[in-house]
Every structure is written in structure tokens, then in C-alpha cells.
Amino acid sequence: MELCHCAISTQKTVVQSISLFARHQHHVVFLEGDAGLEYMFKFGYTIVLVTVAIMIWASLARAREIDTQSHPPCAFNPLCSCSKSAPDLGIVNCRDVLFPAVPKIINSSKLFMLTMDRTGLRELEPYFLQSTGLYRLEITNNPLTELPDEAFYGLERTLWELVLEHNQLVDIPSRTIRDLRKLRLLSLRDNDIATVAPDSFRGVESTLQTLVLADNSITQLAANTLAGLPNLETLDLSGNGLIQLDAAVFRDGLGKLTKLLLADNLLQYVPYEAVSILSRLRTLDLSRNRLQDLSLDDDEQQGSSMGGGNFRLTLDSLNLSYNELEMLPAASFTQFDTANVTLLDGNPLSMIEDNAFRSAKIRELYVRHCDLDHVQPEAFSGLENYLQVLDLSGNNLTDVADNLFRGFDNLRYLNVKDNLLRHSDQRNASPFARLNLHRLEAVGQRNQPVSLADLGSMRNLRSLTISNLPSTNLGPDDFANFSPELEELRLNRASLKVIKAHAFAHVRGLKRLDLSENRIDSIEPDAFTDVGHSLVSLRASHGLGSQLVGFPIEAFRKLTALEALDLSNNRLKAVGDTAFHLLRNLVSLELHDNQIDTLAKGTFQADIHTKLMMISLSYNNIKQLFTH
């Protein structure tokens, strides 16, 4: 749709320009003679050329985002969709339609894109696509084992993207693609390819930008196998059986490579030497391998082309998730100068020792769902000036050293939910109270209760998620020292029973409130008075106690800005006919899984609830709806 809009807009510009020229042509001739007329002709011609260039660029830039599912049925088979009628079919999409061979009408038509997915295609005839002018060809999920050398004859200067995924190809179709001088993307994902020859991409080496060889059976890559691809930016080798990478596999020819995906292989060491020459590498994915540590392998330690391991990687993203890392000793990140976003999720980590990250610059660090039960006091030393996001959720941490985050003035988001945190002093003071956080998540049934008052020192806190409060009552004193900048508050599994009057008087800018998974039996009439103008979302799913069976009309009347209300999975039995009349901005209302038996006439009115789009009342006891 965006492509069409762009084309229509540019056409309007041309029409307006020509119209403007036509309206003023007579006056130009009269005032300036032939010179003025010639100038206007040149100006109009330039406008047309620029407009055509913009339209071509837009069509190429947005090609991948075209919605191929919304096109009408094709004349040659109504189970396929075509964006145009013959002889120019435009975008053709055939999915789950039996076509052992490409339909003959295809070669007599002009196409922009052709998709053949799950069609039972077993072969491509030579020269069959020569008249189509295809830009993108996608043949996927078919029993295709090989391609003839002349399969893409005639597409040498038009085919930019070739997707041959989830087929049964046993070799890279090198001779078939050799003359595709415009090819930018080649995807051979999920085939039966076992080897990659050094000349596999001869002929397309100067144009190829994205190469996908993921989910094949490639177990090794010889030296210089992937060299000589000077414009390659993305290389996906994930899902193969690679045990190691030859130090010279990328040598001399991948000067523009920025993304290297090696996930789901059998690598036991980080291939430092192989990637050391990739000067523009910014994304390295080594997740789901067999890495046991981040040290150099034996050959690299003896000193090779890295000069004794002096080369250091500079990355935007480093993914080490789901490997076999059991401990991060000191200086684990020596080979990394920068790893802005580092993921260590799902490793069997039990300890992070002091100075593990000392030599690296890391802004976001994720250590989620590991077996981490201890973090040394200086584990994150060296990251004080860089670390902004730290996620330690889903571990077995029992305590946090007092000086663990000393000097971390740039830390803005900390997540320690679902741990075993306990606090040593009797005041239950939070170990995070001295941080200058914007967002804190400490929810979890196993975390020890934390007093809200102890978190008031975080003056810039904007989002707070916490559970196991020491008191069952929520009142204004709990937020006495909080900053008015708090916008999101989630008090889940907090054992709350009472929401007192003016409970949120000190956090008047609150926009989103989640009180789910509590047992609230009482909400005083003025509980939400101070946030009525700001609160746009209120959730209390599984949040109301057994004593609160009637909709608390008086408390909710003040929520005039509310857009989303979720009171599902409670024991509500009665909803007054005027319960929602003051909630004029309500967009969605969830009341499902309650015990409501009737809705009075006039509960929802079109002239009041002009924005209401969704009401969920399923799984109640309603037997009849009364309407006007």
C-alpha cells in the first residue's frame, strides 16, 4: 500500500507541475520570448525525470514489503493471486497449489515477483523464465533437487533476489546463478547442501550483499571458501554442523561484512582469528553452540596472525546465549573492545567473578535464565561508564553486594525478577535504592518483600514492577518520596487487599497501573482521584478478592482519561447501568471470566462511548442482554 501511495503521490506532483506550466506558458512566452519558453520546457522535463527516478527507487526499496496476499485471483488458476491481469501479471503468488512445473502462461507474461510455495515443483525448465523480467523469484518448500544451468537465462540483468529455501538442493547451483549480474540476495536456507566450493559464487561475487546458507549440512569451510565477496554485508551460516572455522575462510574479500550469524552449530571456541579481518563486523551471533569459555583456542594462544591475540572486536551485538558457559572468570572479555549489546541467556552460569567484563565496553548486558547464584562484588567493574541496561532475571541470586553497582551512574534499567533475593538488614532496605534508574523490575514470588518507601530515593524512576510488599494496604505514604515522573506501576502478586483514598497523590503523572494477581477486597471512593486525568490503562486481572463482587463505581468514576480497563478473571457479579458512563475515553473493556449475570439497558451508549472498540464478556453467567 505504501508503494502505491508513493507512486500516486509522485504522479500527482508531475500532473501539478505540468498543469502549472500549462497555465503560465502563455505569460512566459509573452514576457520573455523563446528563452523563457525553452527554460520552462527544460524545467518540466527535469521534473518528469526526477519523478520517474523516485518511482523506480521506491518500487525497489519497498519491494519486500508488498502485501502479496491481498491481490485478486489469477485467471490461469484462481488459487494463485496476481496483482495485474495478463500480459503483465506483476506479482504472482502461488501457495499450496499443485504445480509440478511452472505454468506456461508465466513465460509469456511480464512479472515483478513470482512465489511458488508448496506447489510440488520438481524441476525448472531451461530458458522458461527468459521473457518474464523477474526482480524476485521465490521457490520454497518443494521437492526440487537441482537446477539446470539455463534455468535463469534471460534474467541476467533483472533478477535481484533469489530465494530457494526449504527445498532438497544438494549443491549450490553455481553454474545456474553465474550470469546473474544484478543478484543482491541469495537464500538457500534449509536444503541438503553439504559443501561449499571456493568458486561457488563466481559471477555474482561483485553484487551479492546477503547470503543465507542456514540450516544445511555444512560441517566445514576450507580456507578462502568465502573470500572474494567484496560487497557482502550479511552472511548466515546458522544451523549447520560447523565445528570450527578455518582462520583464512574469510581472508581477502569480505570488507563490507557487518553481520555474521553462526548460531546453532558445534563451535567449541570463539573463532577470533577467522573474524579478526572483518573490520566492519558489527553483529556476531554465536548462540546455541558448545562454547565452554571465551578464551583463545590452543593455536591462537601460540600466536598466529592475530599477533598473540592483540586484535579486539568492536561489535554492536554479541549473542552468546545457550552455550555451555559455567563460569565467567576475570578477563573473559579481553578480545572484545566493544560489545554494546551482549547476551548470555540460558548458559549454565553459576558465578561471575571479579573483573569478568573489565576490558570491554558494554551498554546492555542480558544474563537471563541461567543458574547464576552468586555475583562477585566487582563482577561488573570496568563497565561503570558504559552500562545502561542490566537484566539478571530468572536466576537464583540470593543477595546483591552493597558495592556491586557503586559508580554505575549511567544504569537506567535493572531487572532482577524471579530470583531468590533476600535483604540482610531489618528494615528491608532495597539494595537498588541508591541507583539512578528509570526502570526497575523486581517482581517474583521468591523475592523477599521490599518497602515502596525505600525506593523513593530514585528520583528519575519512570517504571516500577515489584511484588511481595510488606503491607497489604496501599496508601499515599507509600509514594511520599517518589518522583512525579513515575508513569508505569505494576504491583503483581503483592498480596494487596486495600487501596486507600488518595493512594496515588504523590505520583500524579501515572499512566499505566497493573494490580493483577492480588486479593483486593476494598477500593476506597477517592483511591484514583489524583490520577484520574492521567491514567490511561488499569489492569486488575485476578486482582480482586472474594468480597469485592460489585463493580466499584465510585472509585472508577474519577478515571476520565482511562482507555483500557481489564477486570477479567475475578468474581464480579453486578455491574451498574451507569458504571461506565463517565469513562468516555474507554477503548477496550475486559470483563470476561467473571460471574456477571445481567447487563442493564443503557450500560453502553453510542453517544457516550464513541471510542469503545472492544468489550469482552465471555465466560460469564449472562443469559440475556437488554437493549434499547
Side-chain angles (χ1 to χ4, degrees):
M1 296 300 291
E2 294 182 11
L3 172 62
C4 296
H5 177 71
C6 178
I8 292 172
S9 299
T10 51
Q11 288 174 354
K12 287 182 178 179
T13 304
V14 175
V15 172
Q16 291 172 354
S17 300
I18 294 175
S19 176
L20 179 64
F21 165 67
R23 289 199 302 268
H24 293 281
Q25 181 178 1
H26 173 73
H27 299 290
V28 171
V29 173
F30 177 76
L31 294 175
E32 301 186 17
D34 294 339
L37 181 61
E38 181 180 1
Y39 171 78
M40 290 303 296
F41 267 118
K42 289 182 178 180
F43 177 75
Y45 184 66
T46 301
I47 290 293
V48 172
L49 287 179
V50 171
T51 303
V52 170
I54 291 175
M55 292 174 66
I56 293 174
W57 172 83
S59 67
L60 296 179
R62 305 297 294 178
R64 299 185 195 179
E65 301 181 21
I66 296 175
D67 183 7
T68 60
Q69 302 296 325
S70 61
H71 298 144
C74 298
F76 66 86
N77 191 314
L79 297 179
C80 297
S81 64
C82 296
S83 63
K84 299 180 180 180
S85 57
D88 183 0
L89 296 178
I91 300 171
V92 179
N93 189 348
C94 294
R95 298 182 184 274
D96 299 302
V97 185
L98 184 60
F99 278 125
V102 179
K104 295 187 180 299
I105 191 175
I106 295 295
N107 196 36
S108 60
S109 306
K110 290 295 182 182
L111 279 77
F112 182 66
M113 295 170 56
L114 172 62
T115 298
M116 304 286 288
D117 180 55
R118 295 186 181 89
T119 62
L121 187 67
R122 294 184 176 276
E123 61 177 356
L124 279 179
E125 298 180 24
Y127 309 104
F128 192 78
L129 300 171
Q130 62 179 331
S131 302
T132 59
L134 276 169
Y135 167 85
R136 177 182 173 92
L137 175 61
E138 184 175 333
I139 301 175
T140 55
N141 293 292
N142 287 293
L144 197 64
T145 58
E146 60 180 354
L147 297 175
D149 294 350
E150 298 81 12
F152 303 135
Y153 182 85
L155 303 180
E156 294 85 356
R157 296 184 179 277
T158 63
L159 194 64
W160 284 49
E161 300 181 1
L162 177 59
V163 179
L164 302 171
E165 298 180 346
H166 312 292
N167 294 300
Q168 298 175 16
L169 297 174
V170 295
D171 294 302
I172 295 175
S174 305
R175 297 176 63 86
T176 308
I177 65 174
R178 185 159 295 178
D179 295 324
L180 299 178
R181 303 174 186 176
K182 298 291 186 179
L183 194 64
R184 300 293 192 273
L185 179 148
L186 174 61
S187 180
L188 298 168
R189 181 189 301 275
D190 192 20
N191 281 278
D192 297 324
I193 298 169
T195 58
V196 182
D199 62 345
S200 293
F201 308 104
R202 181 182 300 171
V204 297
E205 63 267 31
S206 62
T207 61
L208 205 59
Q209 296 177 355
T210 301
L211 175 59
V212 180
L213 296 172
D215 301 317
N216 279 282
S217 303
I218 303 169
T219 58
Q220 61 180 355
L221 294 171
N224 301 313
T225 299
L226 295 171
L229 299 171
N231 290 308
L232 194 66
E233 298 175 358
T234 299
L235 175 60
D236 189 350
L237 291 167
S238 58
N240 284 283
L242 293 170
I243 299 176
Q244 63 179 5
L245 288 184
D246 189 283
V249 66
F250 304 131
R251 194 171 303 283
D252 303 328
L254 293 180
K256 291 187 178 180
L257 193 71
T258 60
K259 181 182 293 186
L260 177 59
L261 308 179
L262 294 168
D264 198 15
N265 279 284
L266 302 174
L267 298 174
Q268 297 180 359
Y269 295 94
V270 177
Y272 292 116
E273 191 169 2
V275 302
S276 64
I277 62 170
L278 304 177
S279 58
R280 295 194 181 183
L281 188 65
R282 293 297 176 265
T283 299
L284 178 59
D285 187 352
L286 293 167
S287 61
R288 301 181 188 278
N289 278 278
R290 295 184 175 179
L291 304 179
Q292 296 183 2
D293 57 55
L294 304 181
S295 62
L296 301 170
D297 64 21
D298 294 338
D299 293 335
E300 291 170 337
Q301 287 177 358
Q302 292 174 5
S304 57
S305 61
M306 290 183 65
N310 290 326
F311 182 87
R312 304 181 66 202
L313 297 172
T314 299
L315 303 173
D316 289 330
S317 176
L318 172 64
N319 193 343
L320 299 169
S321 300
Y322 298 97
N323 277 279
E324 299 176 7
L325 301 172
E326 297 182 0
M327 180 179 294
L328 285 182
S332 291
F333 281 73
T334 301
Q335 302 303 131
F336 299 94
D337 176 77
T338 302
N340 283 325
V341 179
T342 299
L343 294 93
L344 292 163
D345 301 337
N347 280 283
L349 274 173
S350 60
M351 179 181 293
I352 301 178
E353 294 188 352
D354 289 338
N355 301 306
F357 305 96
R358 160 97 28 204
S359 60
K361 303 179 184 71
I362 299 176
R363 298 187 184 279
E364 299 183 18
L365 179 59
Y366 299 90
V367 193
R368 298 169 290 198
H369 304 291
C370 300
D371 294 330
L372 194 63
D373 55 27
H374 186 68
V375 177
Q376 293 282 48
E378 297 184 7
F380 304 116
S381 291
L383 300 180
E384 291 86 350
N385 295 325
Y386 309 105
L387 196 61
Q388 298 178 7
V389 174
L390 178 60
D391 193 336
L392 299 170
S393 59
N395 285 287
N396 297 317
L397 292 174
T398 57
D399 53 45
V400 175
D402 291 339
N403 61 340
L404 182 63
F405 299 115
R406 184 174 298 166
F408 284 80
D409 296 332
N410 293 317
L411 191 62
R412 294 294 178 264
Y413 171 49
L414 177 61
N415 189 343
V416 291
K417 71 178 182 180
D418 296 324
N419 277 278
L420 300 169
L421 291 177
R422 61 176 185 267
H423 313 301
S424 56
D425 59 54
Q426 298 178 350
R427 298 180 301 103
N428 291 329
S430 169
F432 319 116
R434 292 183 294 272
L435 293 173
N436 189 26
L437 297 175
H438 287 174
R439 182 179 176 188
L440 172 63
E441 293 192 38
V443 70
Q445 288 182 324
R446 302 185 301 172
N447 284 342
Q448 189 167 337
V450 176
S451 172
L452 286 171
D454 292 332
L455 302 177
S457 60
M458 290 186 282
R459 302 301 299 168
N460 294 314
L461 194 63
R462 295 168 187 170
S463 176
L464 174 62
T465 303
I466 201 168
S467 58
N468 290 344
L469 298 177
S471 174
T472 59
N473 296 343
L474 190 67
D477 292 341
D478 292 313
F479 303 101
N481 297 319
F482 271 69
S483 167
E485 294 186 10
L486 188 69
E487 296 181 350
E488 182 177 16
L489 177 62
R490 295 175 58 193
L491 300 175
N492 305 140
R493 290 174 280 176
S495 303
L496 290 176
K497 292 185 177 181
V498 178
I499 310 297
K500 294 184 176 181
H502 303 285
F504 307 99
H506 299 290
V507 286
R508 294 174 177 269
L510 198 63
K511 295 181 179 180
R512 292 172 293 277
L513 176 62
D514 190 344
L515 299 172
S516 299
E517 300 181 75
N518 285 285
R519 289 293 179 266
I520 302 172
D521 289 321
S522 173
I523 303 178
E524 296 185 5
D526 291 325
F528 303 117
T529 299
D530 303 287
V531 293
H533 65 288
S534 63
L535 199 68
V536 296
S537 175
L538 173 58
R539 297 189 73 247
S541 180
H542 294 283
L544 305 182
S546 58
Q547 298 182 27
L548 194 56
V549 296
F551 185 81
I553 297 178
E554 292 303 321
F556 281 72
R557 283 183 185 276
K558 311 296 175 61
L559 298 174
T560 55
L562 198 65
E563 298 177 3
L565 176 60
D566 182 359
L567 295 175
S568 62
N569 295 283
N570 289 296
R571 299 181 184 181
L572 294 177
K573 295 181 179 180
V575 176
D577 57 352
T578 62
F580 306 107
H581 284 190
L582 293 180
L583 307 184
R584 293 177 174 269
N585 289 304
L586 205 60
V587 176
S588 67
L589 174 62
E590 297 185 53
L591 293 171
H592 57 83
D593 293 280
N594 277 282
Q595 300 174 12
I596 302 171
D597 53 14
T598 183
L599 282 179
K601 185 181 353 181
T603 301
F604 303 103
Q605 299 187 18
D607 57 338
I608 295 177
H609 301 107
T610 58
K611 300 179 181 180
L612 191 60
M613 299 179 64
M614 190 274 289
I615 305 174
S616 178
L617 293 166
S618 56
Y619 300 102
N620 277 281
N621 298 326
I622 299 175
K623 295 180 174 60
Q624 184 176 2
L625 289 176
F626 297 96
T627 60
H628 287 286

